[in-house]
Amino acid sequence: LAARLEAGHERPPAADSTVDRAYRLALSRTPTVDERQDGVTFLRESEARHRQAGRGNARELALVDYAQVILSLNEFVYVD
């Protein structure tokens, strides 16, 4: 999922576009306003933590972290 979030883009897309794509791919819907904001915040903070730890691939690691979050949502795991 993390690799698909940026596939087909010459430059990394904006965080809100990445969040939208994650929801469309995993849950077949768009995120709510709150979900989008939470996702953007998570991506930015995760990337900053990885960068601060000296990891050169901070953006990719943040995407992996976010993909794990999306795939752990109850909505993805359980069928209503």
Side-chain angles (χ1 to χ4, degrees):
L1 178 60
R4 291 183 67 193
L5 294 178
E6 291 192 336
H9 296 280
E10 290 181 23
R11 293 188 296 178
D16 58 339
S17 296
T18 301
V19 171
D20 287 348
R21 186 163 185 173
Y23 272 80
R24 281 194 314 278
L25 290 171
L27 304 172
S28 298
R29 69 173 179 85
T30 56
T32 65
V33 173
D34 289 339
E35 289 169 335
R36 183 177 293 115
Q37 184 57 47
D38 289 345
V40 168
T41 300
F42 180 90
L43 283 169
R44 289 180 180 156
E45 290 177 358
S46 181
E47 185 174 352
R49 279 192 305 275
H50 287 297
R51 187 165 282 121
Q52 191 173 35
R55 298 181 186 108
N57 55 348
R59 179 159 178 87
E60 291 85 8
L61 292 171
L63 290 173
V64 170
D65 293 344
Y66 189 62
Q68 182 65 45
V69 168
I70 293 295
L71 297 175
S72 297
L73 292 172
N74 282 345
E75 186 175 346
F76 183 82
V77 177
Y78 298 103
V79 177
D80 281 337

